[in-house]
Amino acid sequence: MKNIAVVEKGWIGGGNTGRNTTIIRSNYLWDASAGLYNHALKIWEGLSQELNYNVMFSQRGVMNLAHNLQDVRDLKRRTHANRLNGIDAEYLNTEEVKKFCPIINTSPDIRYPVLGGTLQRRAGTARHDAVAWGYARGADEMGVDIIQNCEVKAIKRNGDSVKGLETTKGFIKTNKIGVVAAGHSSVIANMAGLKLPLESKPLQALVSEPVKPIIDTVVMSNAVHAYVSQSDKGELVIGAGTDDYISYSQKGSHDIVEGTLNAILELYPIFSRMRMLRQWGGIVDICPDASPIISKTSIKGLYFNCGWGTGGFKATPGSGDLFAHTIANDEPHELNAAFNINRFVSGDLVDEHGAAAVAH
Amino acid sequence: MSKNLRVKSSKFIDETYRVSFKFNGSRYYGYKGDTLASALLANDIHLVGRSFKYHRPRGIMTSGSEEPNVIVQLHNNSDRTEPNVRATEIEIYEGLEASSQNCWPSVNFDIGGINNLLSPLLPAGFYYKTFMWPASFWEKYEYFIRKSAGLGKSPTTPDPDIYEHEYIHCDVLIVGAGISGIIAAKTAAKNGLKTLLVDEKPNLGGSTIYQNSEHFKINNQNSGSWLEKEINEIKKIDNLDIRIRTSVAAFHGYNFLLARENLTDHLPIEQRKNKTRQKLLKIRAKKVITATGSLERPLIFDNNDRPGILLSSAIKRYADLFGVACGEKNIFLTNNDSAYETAISLIQKGIKVEAIVDNREEIESKLLYEVEKNNVKVFKGFTIVNTNGYKKINKVSLMKLSKDGQKVIGSKINLSCDCLGVSGGWTPAVHLFTQSGGKLKFREEDQVFIPNKYSSEQISIGACNGDLTLEDIIENTPKYLKEFLNIKKTDYDNVEVFSSENKSKRNIWLLPSDKILGKTKSFVDYQNDATAKDIKLALREGFRSIEHVKRYTTTGMGTDQGKLGNMHALGIISETAGTKMGEHGTTTFRPPYTPLTFGTIVGRNVGEYFDIFRKTPMHEWHLKNKAEFENVGQWKRAWYYPKNNENMFEAVQRESKAARENAGILDASTLGKIDIQGTDASEFLNRVYTNAWSKLAVGKCRYGLMLNEDGMVYDDGVTTRLGENHYIMTTTTGGAANVLGKLEDYLQTEWPELDVYLTSVTDHFATISVCGPNSKKIISNVIPDLDLSDENFPHMSFKNTKIGKVNCRVMRISFTGEHSYEINIQANYANSVWEKCMEVGKDFNITPYGTETMHLLRAEKGFIIVGQDTDATMTPIDLQMDWIVSKKKYDFIGKRSLYRSDTIKDDRKQLVGLLTDNPNEILEEGAQIVADVNKSPIEMLGHVTSSYYSPNLKKSIALGVVRGGKNMMGKKLIIPMENKTINVTVADPVFLDKENKRLNA
Amino acid sequence: MFIINCPFCGEREQSEFKAGGEAHIERPKQPTELSDDEWAEYLFMRKNIKGIQFERWNHIHGCRKWFNMVRDTSNDEIKAIYKMGEKPPVK
């Protein structure tokens, strides 16, 4: 395709790209997700060279911890599924967890002891801003117009087809619009008279003051909600959970941050004297099945790439690639076919909440 | 031996109390009341740290929390070690040990300093353009980058200190106890308002308290003395709570603020034991008055970062408050009157001021005249173009500014000095205001952002509101307070104020140099080594937004979060881009204002208080009987009871056999219990469960399955009809709260016409389950009056009865497939009934069993566990439980979803039994199930959900979900493990007693 | 964190409450009559409004009552609170 413009309300990378905790992994449960995220991971592995811009993709591994017996079952299930899908995955027992990340408190006496974990060694982190800037430079060189500080005010339709965009900088005529507006996806959809199966909620993150290397991998824990890694600059990068209410304020409640740090100190008591340097919030668009939408819509020429919830950054190169394919061909690629919007009608959801951890 | 620069005793320092401390291994002395920075300066030490990127020598620059340079590690290698502590904030105490960070081998000789020479190769964003080739090398480069980054060292042992939270609800919170904060506090408190005043410093009064000069008077007294009296007065007010060493970290919506009160960091270590180190104050204030003052701006010129270059206001504070001279030959560079005030303070104390270099050309100022009277040379319309001195400044070079301030002209004048004070004017500290959602406006006259629109019941007063002079503060503050607090008058309505200060200012964001920009190092962010050149480079590379520039150059991303340099960054951007200030936005001031200790945020919620744990009335008994426990939600459940060094497998085998051969007893108290009453209770159950409830007779029990509206299994349990309009529902242990919430939701919002009331009684009743062939004999001994005959008390029924004098409910229901009773009794009697069962049961070989055995026994019967055998993708049809889905009922929660195009498919994953070819092989729960391992990619049909070795069947059994499994009975499938494959056969999930004979045995 | 004026208990901290999403989405009276599309509309599709939103809250750690709230989701300002079944006080 030629004659492409990117319209951005603020500044590029200023939304969730610049606010996320930069974790990259592909160890998802279902085949469809595995295909999607692994496609992205493969692109990540050569992205700096492809863009000639160092995105600092660092494969320092991502470990997911289990804290109860159902966690163990779920993580083993995921490990087996990953292995058969060609995604590197290892199940670690408690001793192996400790060996891989010695600063975790693996004592059996803590409230929710670490019972094991999984490890994806190819997973890791990247420098979020660099990804946005590297792609922007690449796109710019290929003739894409990047228009910042330009807010979309309306989507013009001609019957069931799109006709163009009304923006704060004027009208843009086009017959194809791809929307990648993350937390604001519904706002754009509503302009076109569409409703999406999304709720936009606050998600918060924080960093500590920088210190010398102390944790050399990414550790995530769902049951004791905390995940942490250390940036190249030395800051501990810590992700919190979402609030339960809809909000576009880019602020969340302090309880969430406090709960996250409770969990961090439960697993890493050595961090008690570390200090929070900066804390912020973003808006995440959450799908009922915790999987994204990369799909055509009932309006011809209008496409959505949304619903990434708390985990879109890791898929960036893959989702962009597949979304481009979908827009260019007006057909999904086989890797994103399952992520169509119609699955909410048929019931063929891609539930990545993990097995519901309900105990009996 | 270093010099002593303590020049004059100060009433704020206790010179009778000498304190010894160590810095970089050497012993020094200071006085009680000193900060580490003031004590070091008194010992003539300026060089304290190295910068982040170039490892340039850096000295003390400020006297407060905005300090970018002097951050130290405290008590290295001890359990109280702490990285990145600002020497300007930490008060010294006997035994304090601090060391420089980010330098090796020492702050005086730092090998990383080589980066300074390499700096032409390390411009902003250089990381993004290098280290890419060969691709595989990034991780090797990264290793070195990571090692050289980071500032201090993380502690490596748990924290010995304790932290607390305190909730404060007040009418008025005042942040900052400078002159305007004190005025506000007295006014609010005297009007009967419950008032809280906090200040980050250990003493009240801000910078006015040490303003002791004839040039600043209030009611004809020196402003400092006047304020001191006010402070003494407010300390006596009852409804005014004053917290010092308390820094507000965050100002959230709805006037919710977080503050850190520091209680022990200034005490010698041995005095800290058993004391709370820091408190997190969670403040809800009806009204907030922000009086956070202002921060002095540095000036941006070549080599503006050498040790010995300080903010003018810091030099004043060190002299007036701590009695310390920062140098013996002082020069100032200024664009406003503030530096003159400092110079006068120094002159009063006999500290030599060599010269003042003023950007302003024409100055009408009484302060200037006084300085000139004291033979200080003032260079008007000049600026400094360079400084010399590697580890400490020793020379400055000045040149004349051109008319437009864009160039320097004439010849260079060199002056020697050992200290340079800079003053670029003042920046209102609007951080908290913007955090709260307030919107700023830009004031052209003096180039500052000030509050414009408030987002809640709050005001900013004093310097943080742009009232930067004593006159403006005294004149405006009472006015603002009256309006905000809705009062008629204040004590300050007729206060007379006199000030010699002239407000004029010549603001030049980037001072010109005789060198081209590329050859200068004019630092904007000291800690991160971001220079004016870097900012211009970012603009050249196309970055426009302040956020982009900030991220690309890392300006404002250090531990000081750009408190000093952000304004200059903005200024340089708009000057370069030719736009108006504020047009590119201001960077977002994110919480916290100053870094906040994780431990403080967490408070007491650590260790055993991390999460509450729920225990059953029999918990002590389980402990005494050596149970191992399993976490189920917040509950601790007895998992198994190992005897004689049994491992889990052996214990579970024994317990499982005993339950089927004699009798077993299980503590089932954790199951959720919801009491349901009302004339529409039956109809309500009809709507929430998949099966029909209207015809259930009083006294009978029924198993129910509950779906989500999306048709997927949500919860299950047995519900008993206690009376015509009275049921008790049991839920899964982990699901109890959510089920209650969901039922209330439907009841209150969708079906308000139903007369139904729900009450959680999970904690009120304990449940003891006794099963096995001997269960009847045991229960007949425990409850002799109860007729246990099958006719009177058949399976799936219940009886109200008494044990002794205590009422209880006995249900004859079974999750094991055995003849079985569940005693539900008021929780406080439960343990004695349990012990009675054990005592009576002795003769019948009763065996306590835990959750693991329960899981095994139910799997033998093919009973599902919601959450283990189901995930959020299983319908009751998938579970082969079609029998429980009423075809007759018009509607129930989730019914419609069962008929969607995908949910009606025949080849969905369905629950089946799995038997291994080798009966001794036990499958791994979570293992995937395939039909053909040679297919690529391997198609996964499903996975193993439950798997055990059954001692009763003497073979391994498993449950799993398999695509199209319903029609695969007897089919061979494969479990591909990492190093082998296991052959299995699809079987009926009911492995034992398909005819349910044991229920009545 | 918000202060929420529970219509039954008065002003309380947000941490006592649970949000329940968009309000006034009535559960269809005759689900079986609906097409898959119509059912999906009820089940999943949301306006997810930026701006004035009518939504449900539950005083879960208090009286357990559900009620409605009008809130500006762009800045989290609560405009009004009303009981279930009552008419929205502002439009």
Side-chain angles (χ1 to χ4, degrees), chain B residues 53 483 871:
Chain B
K53 193 158 107 186
E483 193 189 328
D871 53 24

Side-chain angles (χ1 to χ4, degrees), chain B residues 209 221 224-234:
Chain B
I209 194 69
Q221 305 163 57
S225 316
W226 179 86
L227 185 59
E228 195 179 337
K229 285 187 199 130
E230 291 296 310
I231 289 171
N232 288 337
E233 218 175 294
I234 66 164

Side-chain angles (χ1 to χ4, degrees), chain C:
Chain C
M1 288 188 296
F2 316 160
I3 292 274
I4 296 175
N5 193 2
C6 169
F8 306 93
C9 308
E11 287 191 345
R12 294 289 191 278
E13 289 279 337
Q14 183 188 345
S15 42
E16 293 185 15
F17 298 84
K18 185 173 176 283
E22 205 173 316
H24 306 299
I25 301 175
E26 203 184 336
R27 188 173 186 273
K29 290 271 183 294
Q30 298 176 315
T32 44
E33 316 281 303
L34 301 182
S35 68
D36 279 4
D37 276 307
E38 288 164 332
W39 181 244
E41 180 77 13
Y42 160 70
L43 208 50
F44 296 122
M45 301 305 167
R46 296 291 177 265
K47 288 190 208 137
N48 195 24
I49 282 170
K50 180 180 187 179
I52 302 294
Q53 162 160 287
F54 295 77
E55 59 185 19
R56 304 160 357 114
W57 284 78
N58 183 214
H59 195 184
I60 191 154
H61 300 299
C63 63
R64 294 210 332 252
K65 283 285 197 183
W66 283 89
F67 56 89
N68 289 319
M69 183 188 285
V70 186
R71 187 171 55 95
D72 186 340
T73 61
S74 67
N75 60 14
D76 292 334
E77 197 183 315
I78 297 170
K79 302 283 188 189
I81 282 174
Y82 55 104
K83 291 180 186 171
M84 281 292 158
E86 286 180 356
K87 272 220 150 75
V90 283
K91 250 290 169 221

Side-chain angles (χ1 to χ4, degrees), chain B residues 82 84 137 223 240 292 368 377 389 401 413 428 473 489 660 771 830 837 861 974 996:
Chain B
E82 204 179 347
N84 309 338
F137 265 48
S223 54
L240 173 63
T292 44
L368 179 135
K377 170 89 178 133
L401 280 165
I413 303 168
I473 289 171
K489 61 179 184 44
R660 294 226 187 272
C771 77
C837 290
K861 285 291 295 171
I974 299 163
N996 292 327

Side-chain angles (χ1 to χ4, degrees), chain A residues 344-356:
Chain A
F344 297 95
V345 174
S346 71
D348 191 10
L349 303 184
V350 189
D351 194 286
E352 284 288 353
H353 286 109

Side-chain angles (χ1 to χ4, degrees), chain B residues 870-885:
Chain B
T870 70
D871 53 24
T873 66
M874 300 296 288
T875 69
I877 318 297
D878 299 339
L879 293 171
Q880 304 218 45
M881 291 170 76
D882 312 44
W883 54 271
I884 205 169
V885 181

